């Protein structure tokens, strides 16, 4: 065994490695899984027990010798190739363009919405996307087993259904009213989650912006004037707004918000289904129960709230027909918004 180790050691010392082919052959012959050193390690079990320790040390030294020579030769070949310029870079290849990206259309619309509401005294509030039942449902006047809970197919994160991914940014309204006293005037943009089938008009992850104004003597007229201003600033001064009676557990009275169709200007088309109107969100006066749940006296204060989907607004503003385009990261789609400020 000792003779075999000495013989292999002499071969390694005498081996010449001048190119990549000889380097690979050296690796296969000596340090590969089926090389001579691996075979010597397999034969170690045949050595007498009293000699096995010494022979094992000699084999490890031999293995390190071969590995060092391989590494040194590999480094020398790489350096030689770089110095001579051989195949280090193919200068005949076309250049990779250093193109710059652009802001996502959802980010553009979100920023524009924030700017519009900031001009009339609203600030921006944010909250966690993982919520509990109180902030997402109970505090907002959703009693247990209330049918309205089923309208929002929720991603629950715990067996007791107390941890969940928020289904709306109304949770931020609750948190804001819990820690601050009126007057409150804020909008809450953010990402929300609902277990829905992904299609051209729906997605399991989307964005909302909600607003809240709580103070003394706040009326539905204040809500209407606020949304009139918003719609005309965002969609143009010719935009008309209407309110349709509706139901939401956390507002009373409640109304859907419609704007005149941007495509047909109210005349009727396939986008507005011939009605001349397109829905953009919901609104209403904050239910007194919600104010009371958040520690605000409904006998002294009143307020209004509204909410709308940023994807819906973006699709209307830029006439985008498939909601899935927002999350597909198609550069051809995103490049269309390079000129938008």
């Amino acid at each position: 065994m000792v003779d075999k180790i000495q013989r292999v050691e002499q071969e390694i010392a005498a081996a010449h490695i001048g190119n990549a082919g000889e380097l690979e052959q050296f690796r296969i012959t000596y340090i590969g899984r089926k090389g001579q050193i691996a075979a010597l390690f397999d034969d170690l079990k045949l050595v007498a027990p009293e000699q096995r320790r010494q022979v094992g040390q000699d084999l490890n030294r031999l293995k390190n010798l071969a590995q060092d020579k391989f590494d040194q030769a590999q480094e020398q070949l790489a350096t030689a190739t770089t110095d001579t310029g051989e195949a280090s870079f193919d200068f005949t290849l076309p250049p990779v363009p250093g193109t710059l990206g652009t802001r996502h259309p959802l980010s553009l619309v979100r920023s524009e919405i924030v700017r519009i509401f900031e001009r009339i005294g609203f600030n921006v509030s944010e909250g966690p996307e993982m919520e509990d039942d109180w902030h997402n449902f109970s505090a907002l006047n959703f009693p247990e087993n209330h049918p309205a809970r089923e309208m929002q197919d929720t991603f629950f994160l715990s067996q007791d259904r107390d941890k969940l991914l928020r289904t709306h940014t109304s949770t931020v309204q609750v948190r804001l009213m819990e820690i601050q006293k009126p007057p409150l005037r804020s909008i809450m943009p953010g990402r929300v989650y609902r277990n829905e089938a992904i299609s051209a008009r729906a997605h399991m992850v989307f964005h909302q912006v909600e607003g809240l104004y709580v103070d003394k003597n706040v009326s539905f007229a204040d809500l209407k004037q606020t949304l009139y201003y918003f719609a005309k600033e965002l969609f143009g001064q010719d935009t008309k707004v209407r309110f349709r009676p509706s139901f939401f557990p956390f507002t009373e009275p409640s109304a859907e918000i419609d704007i005149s169709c941007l495509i047909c200007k109210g005349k009727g088309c396939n986008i507005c289904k011939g009605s001349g109107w397109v829905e953009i969100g919901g609104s209403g006066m904050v239910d007194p129960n919600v104010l009371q749940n958040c520690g605000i006296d409904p006998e002294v204060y009143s307020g209004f709230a509204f909410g709308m989907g940023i994807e819906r607004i973006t699709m209307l503003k830029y006439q985008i027909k498939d909601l899935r385009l927002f999350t597909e990261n198609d550069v051809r789609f995103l490049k269309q918004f390079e000129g938008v400020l």
Side-chain angles (χ1 to χ4, degrees):
M1 187 68 169
V2 175
D3 294 340
K4 290 182 179 180
I5 294 175
Q6 292 177 349
R7 176 179 57 79
V8 173
E9 184 176 355
Q10 293 172 359
E11 291 178 1
I12 291 173
H16 177 265
I17 304 175
N19 53 51
E22 292 176 348
L23 180 68
E24 178 63 12
Q25 186 59 49
F26 180 89
R27 185 191 68 80
I28 294 173
T29 302
Y30 297 107
I31 62 177
R33 290 185 177 181
K34 298 182 179 180
Q36 294 187 31
I37 296 177
L40 290 173
F41 272 102
D42 289 340
D43 292 341
L44 184 60
K45 60 180 179 291
L46 304 177
V47 177
E50 63 274 11
Q51 298 179 350
R52 196 169 296 168
R53 178 184 178 88
Q54 181 61 47
V55 172
Q57 292 177 350
D58 293 341
L59 283 176
N60 284 326
R61 180 176 53 79
L62 180 66
K63 180 181 178 181
N64 293 334
L65 177 66
Q67 187 66 52
D68 290 344
K69 181 159 186 172
F70 175 84
D71 293 341
Q72 184 179 4
Q74 187 178 45
E75 183 178 354
Q76 290 175 347
L77 289 174
T79 303
T81 302
T82 303
D83 291 343
T84 58
E86 295 178 4
S88 60
F89 181 78
D90 188 351
F91 289 96
T92 64
L93 292 173
V96 178
T99 56
L100 296 176
T102 184
R103 296 184 67 192
H104 196 280
L106 293 178
S107 297
L108 292 168
V109 172
R110 181 187 187 277
S111 297
E112 188 173 0
I113 292 172
V114 169
R115 287 196 298 269
I116 291 172
F117 281 106
E118 282 181 339
R119 289 199 291 267
I120 54 176
F122 283 77
N123 57 23
V124 177
S125 299
E126 296 182 339
E129 296 179 7
M130 188 178 77
E131 273 292 1
D132 53 39
D133 180 272
W134 171 257
H135 291 95
N136 199 87
F137 291 124
S138 299
L140 291 166
N141 212 30
F142 286 86
E144 191 173 352
N145 299 324
H146 193 288
R149 289 183 181 238
E150 303 303 323
M151 295 167 57
Q152 304 179 20
D153 202 350
T154 308
F155 287 104
F156 290 100
L157 305 177
S158 62
Q159 292 293 332
D160 60 4
R161 300 167 72 90
D162 187 54
K163 300 299 181 184
L164 50 93
L165 295 177
R166 66 183 182 187
T167 59
H168 45 204
T169 55
S170 302
T171 59
V172 187
Q173 296 184 24
V174 176
R175 291 183 176 276
L176 181 64
M177 288 188 286
E178 286 177 336
I179 63 175
Q180 293 186 25
K181 298 301 181 183
L184 303 173
R185 188 182 297 176
S186 185
I187 59 171
M188 299 84 181
R191 190 164 42 224
V192 297
Y193 305 84
R194 296 183 188 177
N195 187 16
E196 298 184 5
I198 298 175
S199 67
R201 304 191 66 82
H203 206 289
M204 58 183 287
V205 181
F206 56 101
H207 299 77
Q208 281 188 341
V209 57
E210 300 196 14
L212 175 71
Y213 178 33
V214 179
D215 202 350
K216 296 178 179 179
N217 302 318
V218 176
S219 68
F220 203 96
D222 298 313
L223 168 63
K224 292 176 68 175
Q225 291 302 321
T226 299
L227 293 177
Y228 284 149
Y229 171 80
F230 164 73
K232 291 180 180 294
E233 287 292 305
L234 185 65
F235 298 110
Q237 293 302 311
D238 295 333
T239 303
K240 297 179 180 179
V241 181
R242 76 174 185 183
F243 294 84
R244 288 181 291 109
S246 185
F247 166 78
F248 302 107
F250 34 83
T251 54
E252 182 62 37
S254 305
E256 303 280 0
I257 312 164
D258 297 337
I259 63 170
S260 53
C261 182
L262 304 177
I263 309 301
C264 65
K265 306 301 180 183
K267 297 178 180 178
C269 65
N270 63 329
I271 301 298
C272 62
K273 300 179 180 179
S275 68
W277 297 93
V278 180
E279 177 189 337
I280 63 169
S283 64
M285 299 301 294
V286 179
D287 193 291
N289 289 337
V290 175
L291 294 175
Q292 197 163 19
N293 289 338
C294 298
I296 296 176
D297 187 351
E299 298 296 329
V300 178
Y301 297 100
S302 58
F304 66 72
F306 58 85
M308 56 197 77
I310 297 180
E311 278 85 350
R312 169 68 66 87
I313 293 175
T314 306
M315 293 175 75
L316 290 173
K317 185 174 178 64
Y318 296 118
Q319 301 181 24
I320 298 169
K321 297 182 179 180
D322 194 327
L323 186 145
R324 291 169 293 192
L325 290 169
F326 292 130
T327 52
E328 289 180 348
N329 293 327
D330 190 330
V331 175
R332 296 170 298 178
F333 169 71
L334 298 176
K335 284 179 69 69
Q336 298 178 63
F337 301 91
E338 286 182 334
V340 181
L341 299 177

